[in-house]
Structure formats: structure tokens, C-alpha cells
Amino acid sequence: MAKTHRQADLLTAKLREWMSLAQLPGLSIRLVRAGAPLFSCDLGVSDVESRTALTASHRFRFGCLTKCLVAQAVLELEKLGLVEPDAPVVRFVPELSGTGFGAITIENLLTQASGLARGHFQLEPVDDIETLGRLLTSRLHFVPGSRRKYSHWGHFLLGRVITAATGTTPEAFITERILRPLGMNRCQFDGAPECTRDLVEGYWSGWRFGPPSFGSPLERSTHVQIPNCAGGLIGTADEAVLWLASLISGESTSSVGAPTVTDRLLELRARKSYVYTVGGFAVDVLDDGVCHHFSAFSSGSSCFAFMIPRTELVGIALCNNQAVHHELRHLLSDLCREIVGSESLPPVRTWNGARELGLEDEAATDCRADVPTHVYSARDEARRRESHDTSSWSDLVGQYHYPAMGMAEVTLEDGHVYIDYGDKSGCELRPRRGLRFTHTRGPFRREVAEFHRSSETGRVDRFMLGRMVFRKRTARRV
């Protein structure tokens, strides 16, 4: 625990003050070094309405941290000789045969370099057959292996790979191969019996990717349905830190010269200045080693987790407010400095990681695609040179709403159209044809937003992002 009871009390008081400023109903933190607890707390409430005190037995949605465990499961299959990283996914998912997705490899999926769209958010459960159908009607956004784009659908396909290789569901394989051996007995996937027991109530401010400011009032979050292999894991803070610690304390090699699953999970990749691991962790450089970290949020819960292998320091912060993972990172950084001094994670990424780690950018020539990268580049350049009628763009301006994602705001500044889904997720919309625009960055980079006019009024009343329909909100009368 903290060095003294007095220090622990002072830190707890600081955390309570910070929770009030950041509108956090509840907060669970665990810090562990070399298997020994350094700091642990469960503060606030699990439910604002009932005022139920948050305890260590309460469970959170781990969100996209699930992807790291799915990657670990796939690497377990690699170790068993059941899959190969450069194998085409179509070998395990025959439905992809004869489509434009045939060039995608398992390694592409693991490293978020498949070219697949992010995937849809919805309130109603969608089974695997419908999810695959939606994926097959989408398109690749770049040559597999040439770039990086975050995708829920990529890990959905990894789940299909696990099923094809083992004959069981990915949820069952991960539970038996990873969770149960570690004693993570209360960790379950969404949809499992009693998965909502002791689950914290999630909150948000009406924006999927966080409120523009913390001044927005909190409300109960919608439960967003995404594939289980993309973000369906539920568990306690103690279980999460137990899993993180296991990645550092595991054996270094399974045999002479042979990498273990953990070695492969933390194997580095670079994309321009951004460095990440095969298992999905982002990587920062510290004075005394590297820090692997992961941010996630889902249905009103947020988390930030980190590992520093050289010092065997791991930590996680979980809370029941949507999309405050950046703030959780700053909180853990300050907490580490208070408790362990310089052996802590940096507050922000401020370095050119690829150069410092001696990594070069992954080359597009490594991909196994029939369509060369320059075809995509030429297509995008041709669209940029097209002339566009901007006279009707002012009609796009306004707030839009989609139940599973909340608010989106479109603005027009100096002849440029911008869209914002919440804090740190705004971007310019690059015009294509008519009222079709491409996201230039953020969670839906390269994906198309298509605006539509009402058949009755002739004015823009909605836009579509894949199958997600954002409807324009009319101004309220005073």
C-alpha cells in the first residue's frame, strides 16, 4: 500500500477532490509493483441514484481492453501451432472468399492494419451472422498492412479465427485459457449469466467520445452493443491488475530462442511516430525503460491501464463516467510520482517513439494486397482536386443525434466543414461528391458521412455513417 497511512489518507483526499472536479461518480485504482500492492482505493458510488458505495466487488466494463486479451488468445493459438500470423484470414473465415477482404492476414488484424472500418455502434444486440453481413457490405479503406486504423470488426474476425481453430467460442476459449488459470473467476463477457451482477451504472454527458467540457450534466449512459471480442469483457479492478501483472511476471522464454505469448503480445510495431505492440498496447519511452499503456471506454465506463516491465510496475484506474481515459492517465501519472517518484509514466506522449526505439515505419510493401497503394493515393488525390458546390453547406450546420453514440455537432468555418463527436474527436470533413464527406482523422478516419435532405422540407435532416443514422435536432422554442 502507500508508504504510510497518513500518505494514503492525503492521496485519497486529493482523489476525492479530483473526482468532484471531473464529475466521476465512482473510481477504482490499483497500483502494484513486483506483485506487491502499492496503492488501492474504491471511492464514490456505483450508482448515482441509489448512492450505493463503490466497493472492490463491483465490476466495470473493460471496453476495448478486451482486445488485448483476444490478441493474447490468438497468440496462444500461434504457440500451439494452430494459426500463423501471416496466414490469410479467409482460411478461417471462408465467407470472405471472393471479396475484397481476401488480402487481410491475422497479423493485420492484430496490429489494426486491416483497412476495415471501425464498425457500427447499436443499442440492439446483433448476432455474428448479421455482424459479418454488415462487414461484407463495407469496403477496405486502404491496402491491408499499409496503414493503421482502429477497428472493432477486426477483432470480431479474430474471434471467428479462434472459433475455427478451436471448435469453441472465443468467450469460452479465453475464459478457460486465460481467465480461470489466473483466478479471474468474476470476469465474464457481456451476455453471460449474471454478467450484470455488481456491475456499476455507467454515465455520460450525451457524447460517445466525451463531453466538450466537464460542465455538461451527467446522465445514465446507453449500453452500446459492439462485438464481444471488441469490447465485451466485464470484471473488477483487482482482476484487471492481476492480468496486467501476469504479463510482466511470466516466464521470459518457453524454450531457447522461442518467444512466449507475452513476448509476442508486447512485440513492437511502428507507424510513423506512433509505436504500439502486437497486442494493442501503445508505447511511451521513459528514462528507465518503456511504458505499455491502453485507454478504453464503453457504455459509461472508462479505464486507463499501464505496465512498465523493467520496474515491474503496473496500474489501472476504472471509473463510471464515459470517455475520461485521458484524465485517468494524468491521475495515475501524478499518483505514481507521489508514491514511487521518478519510476512513473509520463503525463502525455511527447516523443518520436519510432526513432528512439530504433524502429522504422512498417513498409507498405509488406502487405499482401492485389491493389497497390498508389491506386488508393491516386483516387484520394483525384477527389481532392474536384470542385465542389459549397453554397448548400450552411444547411449542414447543427447538432445531430444517434442513440448509441449520442451527440455529434457539425460546424462551418471559413468554407470548411467540421464534425465533433465529443472531446478530442473533432475533425474536418473532406468533400467527395454531393453531400458526401470523408472524415480526415479521429475515430472514423477515412469513413464517409453522407448527408440527406428531408423529402418534405428539402433541408438536411440527417447523415449516415455506415448504417448509423444521425438525425438533426431542431432548435427548441423558448
Side-chain angles (χ1 to χ4, degrees):
M1 300 299 290
K3 295 177 182 178
T4 65
H5 289 297
R6 176 172 174 76
Q7 183 191 31
D9 291 342
L10 290 173
L11 291 174
T12 300
K14 287 183 179 180
L15 289 174
R16 290 188 185 279
E17 181 180 0
W18 186 88
M19 289 174 65
S20 177
L21 293 173
Q23 290 186 289
L24 294 193
L27 174 67
S28 289
I29 293 178
R30 302 291 187 272
L31 285 177
V32 173
R33 183 167 59 184
L38 290 179
F39 183 80
S40 174
C41 72
D42 301 286
L43 305 174
V45 297
S46 65
D47 186 315
V48 171
E49 285 75 15
S50 68
R51 306 304 298 175
T52 302
L54 184 70
T55 67
S57 65
H58 278 107
R59 298 192 289 181
F60 293 83
R61 296 188 184 277
F62 290 166
C64 291
L65 189 63
T66 305
K67 292 181 173 69
C68 299
L69 283 96
V70 172
Q72 184 177 354
V74 172
L75 295 174
E76 289 276 359
L77 296 179
E78 179 185 319
K79 179 182 176 181
L80 295 172
L82 297 177
V83 303
E84 299 174 354
D86 60 351
V89 179
V90 67
R91 182 184 301 173
F92 302 91
V93 189
E95 293 90 340
L96 300 180
S97 179
T99 70
F101 306 106
I104 300 173
T105 67
I106 290 176
E107 183 85 358
N108 293 154
L109 297 179
L110 287 170
T111 57
Q112 297 283 7
S114 66
L116 291 169
R118 188 181 187 98
H120 301 132
F121 298 92
Q122 59 272 324
L123 298 182
E124 303 78 18
V126 177
D127 61 25
D128 285 359
I129 295 175
E130 184 173 351
T131 299
L132 184 60
R134 292 184 178 188
L135 187 156
L136 291 174
T137 59
S138 67
R139 69 175 183 86
L140 286 179
H141 292 276
F142 51 80
V143 175
S146 65
R147 300 178 186 179
R148 187 178 190 272
K149 175 177 169 57
Y150 200 79
S151 173
H152 297 321
W153 279 345
H155 278 69
F156 162 73
L157 289 181
L158 287 176
R160 297 291 294 247
V161 170
I162 294 173
T163 296
T166 66
T168 187
T169 65
E171 292 90 343
F173 182 78
I174 291 169
T175 298
E176 295 305 316
R177 189 78 184 187
I178 300 174
L179 303 183
R180 294 297 174 262
L182 289 175
M184 299 170 65
N185 298 317
R186 300 194 64 233
C187 200
Q188 293 179 295
F189 280 89
D190 200 11
E194 298 189 343
C195 67
T196 59
R197 183 178 180 181
D198 294 327
L199 179 64
V200 299
E201 186 68 46
Y203 295 88
W204 69 344
S205 293
W207 301 75
R208 168 68 184 173
F209 293 95
S213 72
F214 286 122
S216 305
L218 284 181
E219 57 187 79
R220 283 183 182 267
S221 171
T222 54
H223 174 37
V224 179
Q225 303 279 347
I226 61 175
N228 261 352
C229 284
L233 208 55
I234 297 169
T236 67
D238 289 323
E239 290 174 319
V241 81
L242 181 66
W243 171 70
L244 290 168
S246 74
L247 299 181
I248 289 181
S249 62
E251 60 181 357
S252 59
T253 56
S254 55
S255 62
V256 177
T260 64
V261 169
T262 300
D263 292 333
R264 283 281 285 134
L265 195 72
L266 302 184
E267 192 174 300
L268 299 180
R269 294 287 186 272
R271 186 71 62 193
K272 295 185 179 179
S273 62
Y274 180 68
V275 178
Y276 55 101
T277 73
V278 170
F281 289 93
V283 182
D284 278 345
V285 172
L286 303 175
D287 293 338
D288 47 11
V290 296
C291 171
H292 302 88
H293 57 88
F294 200 99
S295 301
F297 57 89
S298 176
S299 301
S301 290
S302 297
C303 82
F304 181 82
F306 76 92
M307 305 180 296
I308 304 177
R310 200 191 72 80
T311 59
E312 296 187 75
L313 181 66
V314 301
I316 190 165
L318 293 150
C319 71
N320 51 345
N321 187 355
Q322 173 93 5
V324 293
H325 44 283
H326 296 291
E327 287 69 28
L328 294 181
R329 173 175 180 151
H330 285 279
L331 181 152
L332 276 180
S333 178
D334 291 343
L335 198 60
C336 286
R337 286 184 171 85
E338 290 276 357
I339 296 175
V340 296
S342 61
E343 297 175 347
S344 56
L345 61 153
V348 292
R349 186 183 297 122
T350 57
W351 56 284
N352 186 336
R355 181 169 298 177
E356 291 192 26
L357 290 171
L359 298 173
E360 296 181 358
D361 291 356
E362 295 177 44
T365 53
D366 291 338
C367 65
R368 296 169 173 264
D370 298 327
V371 183
T373 306
H374 70 79
V375 173
Y376 285 77
S377 301
R379 181 190 65 188
D380 292 342
E381 182 60 30
R383 287 172 177 163
R384 280 194 289 271
R385 288 198 303 266
E386 290 179 357
S387 59
H388 302 279
D389 178 13
T390 63
S391 60
S392 62
W393 286 3
S394 60
D395 197 21
L396 307 178
V397 174
Q399 287 191 338
Y400 296 76
H401 183 261
Y402 173 63
M405 277 190 57
M407 299 296 297
E409 186 168 18
V410 176
T411 56
L412 181 65
E413 299 176 22
D414 299 325
H416 296 270
V417 181
Y418 297 89
I419 192 165
D420 194 353
Y421 297 96
D423 191 34
K424 301 180 177 67
S425 68
C427 74
E428 182 179 356
L429 292 178
R430 180 178 296 145
R432 291 166 61 99
R433 293 185 180 89
L435 294 179
R436 290 165 57 87
F437 297 79
T438 301
H439 293 74
T440 56
R441 60 181 297 274
F444 301 106
R445 187 183 181 192
R446 302 183 183 279
E447 298 189 41
V448 174
E450 183 174 358
F451 292 83
H452 294 267
R453 296 185 182 278
S454 166
S455 59
E456 297 179 357
T457 66
R459 300 186 64 84
V460 171
D461 66 346
R462 66 196 185 280
F463 76 83
M464 296 187 66
L465 178 58
R467 295 194 180 187
M468 298 184 288
V469 182
F470 289 75
R471 300 195 178 278
K472 198 172 189 179
R473 286 193 163 180
T474 56
R476 294 180 179 177
R477 295 182 179 179
V478 179

